[in-house]
Amino acid sequence: MCRLRDCSVCECPDNEFPESFKKPHHGLPLDDLVCQEGKPEAAVDRTLDKKAFRGWTEIDNPWTNDDETDNAEMTYVNLQLNPERYTGYTGPSARRIWDAVYAENCPKYPSEELCAEERILYKLISGLHSSISVHIASDYLLDETTQMWGSNLPLMYDRVLRYPDRVRNLYFTFLFVLRAVTKAADYLEHAEYDTGNLNEDLKTQSLVRQLLYNPNLQAACPVPFDEAKLWKGQRGPELKQKIQNQFRNISALMDCVGCEKCRLWGKLQVLGLGTALKILFSVDGQQNTDQTLHLQRNEVIALMNLLNRLSESLKFVNEMGPSTERLVEGQISPPTAPSCPIQRMWASLKSR
C-alpha cells in the first residue's frame, strides 16, 4: 500500500477544464467525489461531450483493453498537478505488476526462439519500464521529514544504467513512438484542438506543427523505425493477433496498480504506446490504401505525453550519466551517453 499522500490523484475542479468538454446541466453533485486528500472541491463533471473536438472519433483501440469511448467512468485530471514521480509505492505489490507484465507476455525472452516481432514487444515494455524508473529516480523524496525532493542517482543506476540493454530499450522505445508521431503527421496537423480557449488552441496547433516538421529532427531521424519489415510470411496475421492480445493484457494489468498516481501514469503511457502500435500496425498506408487512421482525443493526449516522458528520460540519462558513474565508482560502469545519441543508438539497434 502507498505510504504517502503523494500517491493520490485529485480530480480537476469544475472550473479548470474546458467548457467545450462539458455537457450542460449533467454534472455530478459537488459532494459526489472526494479525492484522497479530503478536498471536496476535487469533484468533477465526469461526462464527456462527443462533440468537444470536432473530427475526433469514438472507436476503441484494438491494442488496448480500456473502453476509451464516452462513458460515466471517466474523469478529468490535470497532469501538471500530478507529475510522474516517486510516490512511496514499493514492495511486493509494485513488483507483482511488473512480474506479471513480463511473465505473462514475454516469458521466453531473450531466447533465440523469439521472432523479431516478439522481441520488439519486449523492448517496448522494457523501454517504458526504464523510462518510468528514470522519472522516479529524477524526482525522488530524499527526506520525508523535511519534504526535500531531488535526484536519486544510485537508484537510477541500480534500476537502469547498470543494465546496457535497458538503456538501449529506452532509446528503442523513444524511436518507435517518434516514428508513430511522424507517420501520423498529416492527421495530427489537421486535427482540431478545440478547448474553447482560442489562444491556447492556436498555440497547441503551432507546437504540433513545430514538432512534426522540425528540420533538425527530420535530418537526424528521417525514418526512426521501419515497420514495413514486420508481419511478413504466412504467420504474419496470426502473430500480429497474438502480440495484440498480449499488449491488451498488459493494458489490463495497469488496472491492478495499487497506487492511484502510479496507475494514472501507467495507464496513460500504456495507452500512448498502444496508440503508437495502432498507428504503425493497424493502418498500413502502402498495402491498405482503403484504411483511414482514426484517433480519439485521449489517444493523442496519451501519445504526446508518452513522447514527452521518453524524451525527458533520455535527457536526464544523457545529462546525469557521467555523474552517476562517478557516484558508483567501483561497480560495473553504466553506458555513457553517446555524443550523437539518437543516431548511434539506432545504428546499434539495427546491427543487433
Side-chain angles (χ1 to χ4, degrees), residues 3-4 6 85-88 136-156 316 327:
R3 297 184 299 105
L4 305 176
D6 297 280
R85 68 198 306 195
Y86 172 77
T87 63
I136 291 173
S138 67
D139 200 358
Y140 196 87
L141 182 59
L142 301 175
D143 190 320
E144 191 170 344
T145 303
T146 61
Q147 286 293 297
M148 181 176 72
W149 292 80
S151 301
N152 187 334
L153 298 184
L155 180 67
M156 183 171 71
F316 190 76
L327 189 65

Side-chain angles (χ1 to χ4, degrees), residues 153-326:
L153 298 184
L155 180 67
M156 183 171 71
Y157 175 83
D158 185 60
R159 293 191 179 183
V160 180
L161 294 185
R162 66 184 296 182
Y163 303 99
D165 280 351
R166 295 182 184 179
V167 179
R168 278 192 290 267
N169 293 338
L170 174 58
Y171 275 93
F172 177 84
T173 304
F174 168 74
L175 291 169
F176 186 93
V177 175
L178 180 63
R179 167 57 180 157
V181 171
T182 56
K183 184 175 182 178
D186 186 64
Y187 185 97
L188 295 172
E189 179 186 8
H190 294 97
E192 296 194 33
Y193 304 96
D194 178 16
T195 65
N197 185 325
L198 181 59
N199 290 334
E200 286 296 320
D201 294 341
L202 291 175
K203 181 179 178 181
T204 298
Q205 293 171 356
S206 175
L207 289 172
V208 168
R209 285 193 294 270
Q210 290 178 46
L211 171 65
L212 298 175
Y213 303 110
N214 184 295
N216 294 330
L217 186 61
Q218 291 177 333
C221 297
V223 182
F225 178 84
D226 186 4
E227 68 279 6
K229 297 179 179 179
L230 303 176
W231 320 114
K232 302 297 184 181
Q234 293 183 344
R235 287 193 61 221
E238 176 188 350
L239 189 60
K240 183 177 179 180
Q241 185 63 52
K242 173 187 175 183
I243 294 179
Q244 192 174 80
N245 290 338
Q246 288 174 326
F247 194 84
R248 286 176 62 87
N249 180 56
I250 294 170
S251 173
L253 284 170
M254 291 299 105
D255 286 322
C256 302
V257 176
C259 163
E260 191 175 26
K261 188 172 290 183
C262 305
R263 185 166 62 250
L264 165 67
W265 281 102
K267 289 174 69 68
L268 177 76
Q269 294 180 85
V270 167
L271 175 59
L273 201 50
T275 304
L277 288 162
K278 173 180 175 179
I279 292 170
L280 294 181
F281 299 140
S282 296
V283 178
D284 187 333
Q286 296 180 347
Q287 297 180 9
N288 299 296
T289 55
D290 58 325
Q291 287 185 292
T292 303
L293 176 65
H294 293 288
L295 296 177
Q296 301 169 55
R297 183 175 65 215
N298 276 359
E299 289 177 323
V300 174
I301 292 172
L303 180 67
M304 291 301 188
N305 273 279
L306 174 59
L307 184 63
N308 170 259
R309 296 284 80 200
L310 293 168
S311 301
E312 291 294 328
S313 294
L314 291 177
K315 179 182 178 182
F316 190 76
V317 168
N318 185 39
E319 292 177 347
M320 303 306 296
S323 300
T324 305
E325 285 186 19
R326 291 192 293 268

